[in-house]
Every structure is written in C-alpha cells, then in structure tokens.
Amino acid sequence: PARYFDTKTTEPISFFLSGLEELLSWQPNSDDEFNVSAVPLAKRQPPLLSRRPRTLVCHDMRGGYLEDRFIQGSATRNPYVFYHWRYIDIFVYFSHHTVTIPPVVWTNAAHRNSVPVLGTFITEWTDGEKLCEAFLAGGEEAYGAVAEQLARIAQHYRFDGWLVNIENTLSAAAVGNLPLFLRDLTARVHSAVPGGLVIWYDSVLKNGTLRWQNELNDENRMFFDACDGLFTNYNWKEEQLERTQRLAGPRKNDVYVGVDVFARGDVIGGGFETDKSLRLIRQYGLSAAIFAPGWVYEHLGKENFLQNENRFWGLLAEYLPTHSICTLPLTTSFSLGMGTSMFQDGKDEESGPWYDLSAQDIQPLYPAQQGMLSTSCCLQDAWCGGSSLQLQGTIPPGEERVAVRLFSLQMPAPPKLFLTLLYKLEGPQPDDFTVALEVTTWDSGICLEGNPTSLPEPNGRYHPRFLPAPPPSLAKLLAACHRGSYGWTSRCYELELQDCSLRDVSVIVSRQQPSPQETSFTCLLGEMRVLDTASVAASPPQVHNVMASQLWWQ
C-alpha cells in the first residue's frame, strides 16, 4: 500500500494521516511495523519534569516527510541532521497534515539521547473549522474517540505525545468542549505512554476566536490548565514574559515561550541572534520553544551546514541546561546517522552518501572555547559509521594539557569500570601529544579510588589505569584493545572506585614536553566506551524464536 511503502522503490516509509476519517479509522496493521520505534526512551538526570527551565525544539522543514521518511535510510547527499540532543528536552516533529506521526528515524535518534518526541495534531482554515465542529461540538463521545485514537497512535508507534494546534475559530459549543477534550487526551496519553506529554499551542481563545496572545493570560489559561504545557506564539515583548511568569506561578517551567529562528514578524532575535530571546526568556525562569532551527540548513545552505550548526547551538549553549546520562554501558562511535562513506574498523568500506538517523549514535556535549577549543564532526575519517568527533585546540604557553568534557554523568559508580578509547592524532607532529581519559566524581567526602596504594584525588579527578591488554574475561568483547588499524590508536583502561558517584568523562590531550609556546593539536575520536565490568563479564541472554517478515530479496 502506498501509505506504507514508497511507490518508486517499495521501501518502507513513515506517513501522516489526513482528516478526521483517516484518524478515526486508523488501526495498527502488519504493514506499519517498520514505523514502530525500536529504541526505548533512555533515562536521564535530572528527570524531564524537574524544576528547571526546559528547551523544546519544533522541527518544521518544507512540509516534513522529506528524506527522513525512508525508514531504512537513503543515499541523500548533505542531509539535515540534528545532534545537539544533550542541550534540549523535547523534540516536536511539525507538519501541516492533520495528524503528524513523527518519522520513526527521529524517534529512534531522540530516544537514544534521552529526548522524548511529540507528533502534531493540527486543524486550520475552513477545513479545520469543519473538522473541529465535527469532533468538538459533537460532545463527549465524539471528542473522546479522537483522544483515544491519538493516545493509541502514540502508544503503538512508541513516541511520547502530542502538540495540539487549533488554528481556526470555534463555535461556542466546540470551544466549550475544548478544555474537556484536552483533559481527556492528556489523561489518556499519560496512561498509554510512560512519561507522555500533551502541549497546547497559543492560538484559540476561550470565546472561540483565533487570536495569538504571545503569553499566558486569562484568555487562554483554561487550555494550559487542562494539559502539560503551553507553547506561546513568537511576537512577545518583555512585559508579556513578566505577566506570564506571574500567572503561571509554580508551573512557569510548563510555559514554552516561542522563538522563531526565521525571525518572521515583530520578534526579538532570530538567526545567529537567537541568544537575545533566550536570555530574556531565562531571566523569567520560563521554558523556551525553538521553532524551525532548520533555518541554519535552509537559509545558510547545505555546504557548510555542520560548521554553521555548531556555531548556532554554541551561541545558545549558556542558556540551555544540559541533561546527564545515568545508565551504563555508555558506548558511542559519535556517528551522526549520515556520511559520505561508511567506515568499519577504520576502513572506508563503501564510498557514497548515506542518511539514516536511526543509525545515529549517542551524542556528546559539543564544548567550545573561543580560539582555544572546538569540537566538531569529521566526515572524512571515522572508526565506525559515518563520522568521528574532531577536537581542535591549543595548549596555552606554560600549560601541559587541555581537558575536553564530552559526557556528563549522574549515577553511582560501579566498583570497577572498564573504559576504551580509539583516537587518531593529526597534524605535523602527532608524536608531541598523548591522549588519555579522565573520570570525575561528585564530591561526597567518602569517595575513594579502589586501589589501596592510591591517595584521594583532589577535585574528584581520576585517571584510569592503562591496560596493555584486556583481562581474559573481557578479551572477546575488548578485542579492540589490540586493533589499531588505519592510523587509529586503541587504549583500554580500568578504574576501581568505592562509594563514588560518576560526574564527567573527559578526554585529556597533553604535551609530551613542557613548552613556552602555545601548541595546536587536532585529535579525532573514533569510539569511546564506559562499561560496568560486572555486567559486561556476564554472558548475554540467548535469543530464541527469531521471526523475519517483509523480506525483499535483491
């Protein structure tokens, strides 16, 4: 069927639903199993609903369902990717179809990086009025059926809820039932999807007129009260932030103040000045909804996209609280889910462009210090997948090392950790530098390194012990400690800790010899793993009763 499979290639594709009839007649079937997310939402610290401002990204690009609709990837050159997941809390996939089911590749990538994904339920123009009249004015049975279907769809495809956007006027009967519909939808989503969310877009007022308020006020408050949050329109001024903060009270983090990166209309900031809006929003302790950050790709072009993308998010980083990883194993090859080649064990196995966000790895922080350090993605060389992480920086005169913080963690340290790192030093004198890992712990007063000869470390910084070869119990898994092919260097480390809580994992680049000059370095990271020895040594469960379906032999 054309809804589920591309008519040209027969490959499985992601899809949307148009109109009320398609929504109400939706049933799961065997053709849409490709669309079910295969990656559960990874846990994070602090939890999403902690008391701190959040960041929502609303992705709206040229109508949606572009190359990202191909569930098993495509040969797209210079595709759009998003990878600053550590800096955002919620990802919304937006299009103008009635029911936007997020393409499963986005759900997989976001979930791997602890970010929930919302679809969009939208009604607009005169068709929207008719649709709303049909299900809202129709009473409890009619709006209950729509709420039930939306909750079932999120549960079936394993994404995390809905942005609700009613962009048309409503009759008195319809607007009277709207808060009841929102309450019903929110309750059903919460019960069907663990951690599910329903967010309302600032559009219709309590009297049914369509007038964007750019704030939370008495005209739209009843919709905010009926669900998990409000996403405001973009044309706000500072006094509206102040009023919103006052009215929201303890729920101020549930107001996501809209920021249009394209800067349409009378807005503050936009483009590379989006930090101006964020600075104000955060002054009032409110959450932010960054709309169409694909501006970087659409407006500035595909050619320098990765460079421009790092610049865009780097300018916002100080206003974006990050979230930490709280489960092991942590293992990543830094792949973006795209590339100009496919690498395996450092070898370029297959040249040619590819794009598959489901294959995106856990993404690190992307730290940068003006002139001193930049962290970026390198497509020209990789250990596994399509890209490696490139660290470029300078070691200042008189200093010996630079620490690059890649992952923040928040979890109890197991008694023994194994860490592996694959790297490649580039530039004129690669032998002038050494590369190692550093683990920091949260200061607890009782945390000790397990090795009895060691003294407590100041500032909770630990340098794991280098192992020339992996211990026998891990030899099979960590065969990598011997393989350093195609110019890559492989390192294994061990760290024993008692009563500690893990905080950060950093890469340390040091000079071999002290020097009065500043020294520049370029280092590619191909793979990093942080493993709990006990759980790695246990043998994995056997797989039984494998079923394969929907096969196409070529």
Side-chain angles (χ1 to χ4, degrees), residues 431-485:
D431 298 341
D432 291 356
F433 301 97
T434 56
V435 178
L437 287 176
E438 179 178 88
V439 175
T440 59
T441 57
W442 293 91
D443 189 22
S444 70
I446 54 169
C447 170
L448 286 173
E449 195 167 343
N451 188 334
T453 56
S454 63
L455 296 165
E457 286 285 339
N459 326 332
R461 293 180 185 282
Y462 298 94
H463 299 107
R465 193 163 61 92
F466 170 62
L467 299 175
S473 61
L474 297 179
K476 201 166 171 186
L477 178 89
L478 299 181
C481 291
H482 296 304
R483 28 164 221 196
S485 45

Side-chain angles (χ1 to χ4, degrees), residues 246-406:
R246 244 192 346 260
L247 189 61
R251 282 193 70 199
K252 65 181 180 185
N253 299 150
D254 295 338
V255 179
Y256 300 84
V257 180
V259 177
D260 180 3
V261 180
F262 277 85
R264 290 162 282 211
D266 179 14
V267 301
I268 293 168
F272 284 127
E273 296 191 331
T274 300
D275 58 319
K276 288 181 178 170
S277 0
L278 279 179
R279 184 182 304 124
L280 276 175
I281 292 166
R282 299 306 197 210
Q283 272 172 21
Y284 292 93
L286 299 166
S287 291
I290 300 175
F291 182 76
W295 170 85
V296 176
Y297 182 84
E298 292 187 71
H299 181 71
L300 300 173
K302 306 173 177 185
E303 275 56 50
N304 289 328
F305 167 61
L306 294 176
Q307 208 177 328
N308 290 328
E309 181 77 341
N310 288 343
R311 181 183 164 205
F312 177 82
W313 290 99
L315 289 167
L316 303 184
E318 66 175 295
Y319 303 110
L320 305 176
T322 59
H323 44 91
S324 304
I325 292 170
C326 60
T327 50
L328 293 180
L330 162 57
T331 165
T332 181
S333 304
F334 306 102
S335 181
L336 294 178
M338 61 159 283
T340 49
S341 280
M342 181 61 91
F343 292 85
Q344 187 63 48
D345 293 346
K347 179 172 184 245
D348 183 345
E349 290 279 5
E350 198 177 335
S351 280
W354 63 276
Y355 175 47
D356 180 0
L357 285 169
S358 288
Q360 189 184 77
D361 258 315
I362 292 179
Q363 291 299 307
L365 297 163
Y366 281 84
Q369 286 161 304
Q370 203 57 52
M372 298 293 292
L373 173 71
S374 74
T375 315
S376 57
C377 312
C378 172
L379 299 177
Q380 288 70 47
D381 196 357
W383 174 255
C384 178
S387 53
S388 56
L389 191 69
Q390 180 172 276
L391 311 180
Q392 279 181 304
T394 47
I395 302 177
E399 291 190 24
E400 285 174 28
R401 44 171 252 165
V402 168
V404 187
R405 178 171 161 257
L406 293 182

